[in-house]
């Protein structure tokens, strides 16, 4: 079985400062890992995915994530937060040959002007 | 390419009624998955369809059912609605969810309120 733990339910940053969203996963097998973002009253948008290629993954809107197998982590970062980054972020795991995504509980990001 | 569309966007029903939600996937995508999102339980997997076959089902009661048509469009049905069924229901499409890194593209969701 696989599970995902997002270590922070809420993160508040100032505009222009770095953002770090932490995610740990547990899986018996090598998973695929994703980060999705959900803006208020919207569906989910894929930010980036890890699929056992490069451990540092670059996504859209300046986000990137690093896969660390030894730490079973897949933290999401952005060097400089923008007001439009205010949203909820989900870390997601999927096993090969599995038909579902397993979501973390989500991290709400607030960006202060 | 048009994205995933879901209809209706908002729905209000009363307890005991039934409801049908519709999802049209991205053209060329054969997998459709359904998820329920609530503040208390987060995002939970309902079921996944590929080429009109249900391949996986989440831990939901039998009141929740779905189907997929030959054009890959999917519907989900909830019968005998309960207050706890109030949620955002999200549909996602992919080329083939069974593939390792198959990206799933989500629709805007249907907001169901049960009174």
């Amino acid at each position: 079985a696989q599970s995902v733990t997002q270590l922070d339910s809420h993160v508040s940053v100032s505009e222009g400062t770095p953002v770090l969203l932490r995610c740990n996963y547990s899986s018996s097998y090598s998973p695929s890992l994703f980060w999705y973002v959900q803006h208020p009253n919207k569906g989910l948008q894929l930010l980036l995915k890890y699929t056992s290629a490069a451990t540092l993954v670059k996504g859209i809107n300046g986000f990137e994530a690093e896969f660390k197998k030894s730490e079973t982590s897949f933290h999401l970062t952005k060097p400089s937060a923008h007001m439009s980054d205010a949203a909820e972020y989900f870390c997601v795991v999927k096993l090969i040959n599995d038909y579902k995504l397993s979501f973390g509980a989500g991290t709400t990001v607030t960006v202060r002007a | 390419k048009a994205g995933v569309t879901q209809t209706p966007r908002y729905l209000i029903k009363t307890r005991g009624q039934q409801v049908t939600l519709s999802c049209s996937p991205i053209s060329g995508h054969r997998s459709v998955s359904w998820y329920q999102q609530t503040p208390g339980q987060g995002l939970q997997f309902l079921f996944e369809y590929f080429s009109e076959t249900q391949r996986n089902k989440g831990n939901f009661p039998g009141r929740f059912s779905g189907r997929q048509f030959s054009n890959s469009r999917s519907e989900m049905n909830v019968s005998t609605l309960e207050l706890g069924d109030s949620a955002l229901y999200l549909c996602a499409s992919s080329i083939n969810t069974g593939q390792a890194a198959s990206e799933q593209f989500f629709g805007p969701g249907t907001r169901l309120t049960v009174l």
Side-chain angles (χ1 to χ4, degrees):
Chain A
Q2 71 274 18
S3 69
V4 184
T5 303
Q6 292 185 240
L7 300 171
D8 307 289
S9 59
H10 186 241
V11 168
S12 180
V13 298
S14 297
E15 191 174 22
T17 64
V19 181
L20 169 64
L21 305 183
R22 299 181 295 166
C23 172
N24 286 112
Y25 70 94
S26 65
S27 172
S28 303
Y29 306 98
S30 295
S32 293
L33 295 161
F34 307 82
W35 276 97
Y36 280 86
V37 61
Q38 186 177 35
H39 288 90
N41 300 314
K42 296 286 179 67
L44 295 157
Q45 181 184 20
L46 179 67
L47 281 176
L48 49 79
K49 67 177 182 181
Y50 166 77
T51 59
S52 76
T55 57
L56 184 62
V57 182
K58 292 190 183 299
I60 62 171
N61 301 334
F63 285 94
E64 63 180 35
E66 185 172 10
F67 173 73
K68 292 186 177 180
K69 186 174 182 179
S70 60
E71 299 176 9
T72 60
S73 69
F74 190 55
H75 300 337
L76 181 71
T77 60
K78 182 173 180 177
S80 176
H82 190 270
M83 296 298 288
S84 61
D85 294 327
E88 188 158 22
Y89 292 78
F90 294 94
C91 183
V92 181
V93 65
K94 180 185 179 299
L95 294 183
I96 190 168
N97 293 328
D98 197 357
Y99 302 124
K100 68 177 188 291
L101 302 177
S102 295
F103 285 81
T107 298
T108 300
V109 172
T110 302
V111 182
R112 305 184 302 272
Chain B
K1 246 185 193 179
V4 179
T5 58
Q6 292 187 245
T7 57
R9 290 293 312 278
Y10 301 90
L11 209 48
I12 299 176
K13 293 286 187 179
T14 56
R15 279 180 298 175
Q17 288 187 309
Q18 75 163 13
V19 67
T20 299
L21 312 182
S22 181
C23 171
S24 292
I26 293 171
S27 176
H29 286 192
R30 296 169 65 188
S31 286
V32 173
S33 302
W34 289 90
Y35 292 84
Q36 182 197 63
Q37 185 176 24
T38 60
Q41 299 298 317
L43 279 145
Q44 295 186 288
F45 171 77
L46 280 157
F47 26 66
E48 188 263 358
Y49 289 88
F50 180 82
S51 293
E52 302 179 67
T53 299
Q54 185 183 92
R55 296 193 295 189
N56 199 5
K57 182 173 166 61
N59 188 25
F60 280 82
R63 300 184 297 106
F64 291 81
S65 63
R67 58 178 176 168
Q68 186 181 35
F69 302 96
S70 58
N71 62 358
S72 295
R73 191 177 70 85
S74 176
E75 290 181 346
M76 67 164 281
N77 184 76
V78 189
S79 62
T80 319
L81 284 166
E82 300 177 359
L83 294 178
D85 296 334
S86 294
L88 180 67
Y89 290 88
L90 292 163
C91 167
S93 81
S94 67
I95 293 173
N96 184 351
T97 308
Q99 294 174 345
S102 181
E103 295 179 23
Q104 294 196 29
F105 297 84
F106 285 80
T110 293
R111 173 76 62 186
L112 172 64
T113 302
V114 182
L115 303 175

